[in-house]
Amino acid sequence: MRPQKVDDQQLMTGLMEVIRAKGFEGASMNDLAEATGLKKASLYHRFPGGKQEITEAVLAFTQAWGRTHIHGVLTNSSIAPAERLKTAIANIRSLYRDGEAICVLRALTMDPSLPIFNSQIGNSFQGWLDGFVQLGKDLGMDHRLAQQRAIQALAWVQGSLVISKGLDDLTVFQGILKDIERLYID
Amino acid sequence: MRPQKVDDQQLMTGLMEVIRAKGFEGASMNDLAEATGLKKASLYHRFPGGKQEITEAVLAFTQAWGRTHIHGVLTNSSIAPAERLKTAIANIRSLYRDGEAICVLRALTMDPSLPIFNSQIGNSFQGWLDGFVQLGKDLGMDHRLAQQRAIQALAWVQGSLVISKGLDDLTVFQGILKDIERLYID
DNA sequence: GTCTATAGCTAGATAGAC
DNA sequence: GTCTATCTAGCTATAGAC
């Protein structure tokens, strides 16, 4: 067979960038082709299911990233809780490019796309929440409090991204990350 | 002249519903026509600038709503701060239909649409923030703390909406509204 | 596996009757 | 002011050469 022009890793990165910036309706196959360096027809060869299959792959990649860099970090019992939190927050900052990037989960929770990707999105959010819940418990919180803090932390991440974008002011996102640290460590 | 088939109020409501549910790219002129009961060409008569002008009108309406029901309430010095907060939160709950609805500001802060609507979106967010800052000051906070709390509250609103939608669980939004109350009153 | 070319459709937007 | 009919551009998706 003919060699692949771009490998799966590069392909995934390019696709994710477009999807999370423009959303499901806003991202055209032309946009996706341009961002990856492949032609439209070649994209259909790699993803016969078209845009929907591409989006599902992006969501699967997103979920795997979260399992490793958020849930995995926050529940790693061989590291002190405070250190886990610092590492997870650093990963969050890097994922969202200091607040400049849009979350792919947010971009795909609009009404037209919701029914299709519902379960994948829910699983990703739940993974983040489970990680933060475990962190809270390891810091001595009871289950109820740990759950409340987890939701508060995740809401701050998502909300500050929306506001940072809306105000075009990345300090909102960066300040909230500090607040999340204080939510657990103080 | 021939009478209007639907008045400005009804028109605005229908347009806003579609825009905030589907976003700028996702909302088609056909969708907008169907939701308002007018035909496509009639929409162009009322909004010669097409979808962009419609979206700007929706944003102007959104900003006016916030000025009245959020900023106006939170800064009303003839009412006790705690009462103002309760009223504003009730208005927020009603605006977002208990967490079911998507915020139009969020829906329009995607990369393709951002440059066009940037300033209107920023003004709306700033209005909410200013209201919460004033509330904090009236509760005895210094400027720095009041600003921090305002951002935290607004981020919780926006973030909990994203998560409620992603998890299909409205209790996330409703729980966060309680947390916002505790952020100021406790 | 990647490409050019194109089919078939739907989008945004306009013309012109009433 | 509202409508039907229509234009053009862009979309998703496919066919078929290499």
Side-chain angles (χ1 to χ4, degrees), chain A residues 8-26:
Chain A
D8 289 353
Q9 174 76 23
Q10 295 173 301
L11 195 52
M12 214 47 187
T13 306
L15 296 174
M16 173 140 83
E17 280 314 300
V18 177
I19 297 272
R20 77 171 172 182
K22 305 198 168 187
F24 183 74
E25 312 284 332

Side-chain angles (χ1 to χ4, degrees), chain A residues 130-180:
Chain A
D130 291 345
F132 276 104
V133 166
Q134 187 59 50
L135 177 74
K137 285 180 174 173
D138 290 350
L139 282 166
M141 301 178 191
D142 64 28
H143 181 74
R144 218 184 97 68
L145 180 60
Q147 194 128 30
Q148 188 185 25
R149 290 281 163 87
I151 290 173
Q152 291 173 340
L154 186 53
W156 268 349
V157 170
Q158 290 294 327
S160 68
L161 284 170
V162 172
I163 298 165
S164 278
K165 201 81 186 165
L167 288 175
D168 197 17
D169 175 5
L170 305 188
T171 66
V172 171
F173 174 70
Q174 290 156 12
I176 284 283
L177 290 188
K178 292 283 177 202
D179 294 337
I180 292 174

Side-chain angles (χ1 to χ4, degrees), chain A residues 2 5 39 41-42 45-46:
Chain A
R2 209 167 141 178
K5 192 178 172 186
K39 294 299 172 186
S42 306
H45 178 78
R46 305 274 281 261

Side-chain angles (χ1 to χ4, degrees), chain B residues 2-181:
Chain B
R2 209 169 141 176
Q4 285 188 344
K5 192 176 170 188
V6 302
D7 63 43
D8 288 354
Q9 173 77 22
Q10 296 173 301
L11 194 53
M12 214 51 203
T13 306
L15 296 174
M16 173 138 83
E17 279 313 300
V18 177
I19 296 273
R20 78 172 173 182
K22 304 197 169 187
F24 184 74
E25 310 284 333
S28 73
M29 292 298 290
N30 271 323
D31 294 334
L32 295 166
E34 229 173 275
T36 54
L38 282 180
K39 295 298 174 187
K40 236 183 337 178
S42 306
L43 266 185
Y44 277 102
H45 178 78
R46 306 273 282 261
F47 301 93
K51 204 158 72 159
Q52 177 167 340
E53 186 179 340
I54 288 175
T55 306
E56 282 163 0
V58 165
L59 279 172
F61 180 85
T62 298
Q63 188 172 357
W65 189 96
R67 193 175 300 278
T68 302
H69 296 88
I70 304 295
H71 185 277
V73 167
L74 290 175
T75 60
N76 181 349
S77 56
S78 72
I79 299 178
E83 270 318 303
R84 295 184 222 161
L85 180 58
K86 275 192 208 300
T87 303
I89 286 179
N91 289 343
I92 292 171
R93 197 201 312 275
S94 134
L95 172 64
Y96 297 121
R97 298 229 191 85
D98 291 319
E100 196 197 9
I102 291 171
C103 177
V104 70
L105 302 175
R106 169 200 157 193
L108 293 174
T109 44
M110 301 295 290
D111 268 2
S113 43
L114 183 61
I116 322 176
F117 309 120
N118 218 351
S119 86
Q120 279 185 292
I121 292 168
N123 287 342
S124 278
F125 276 134
Q126 197 59 55
W128 284 55
L129 285 179
D130 290 344
F132 276 105
V133 165
Q134 187 59 49
L135 177 75
K137 285 180 175 172
D138 290 349
L139 282 166
M141 301 178 190
D142 64 29
H143 181 74
R144 217 184 98 67
L145 180 59
Q147 194 128 32
Q148 188 185 26
R149 290 281 163 87
I151 291 172
Q152 291 173 340
L154 186 53
W156 268 349
V157 171
Q158 289 295 327
S160 67
L161 284 170
V162 172
I163 298 166
S164 278
K165 201 80 186 167
L167 288 175
D168 195 19
D169 175 6
L170 305 188
T171 66
V172 171
F173 173 71
Q174 290 155 11
I176 283 283
L177 290 188
K178 293 282 177 203
D179 294 336
I180 292 174
E181 224 175 301

Side-chain angles (χ1 to χ4, degrees), chain A residues 113-124:
Chain A
S113 42
L114 183 62
I116 322 175
F117 309 119
N118 218 350
S119 86
Q120 279 185 291
I121 292 168
N123 287 342
S124 278

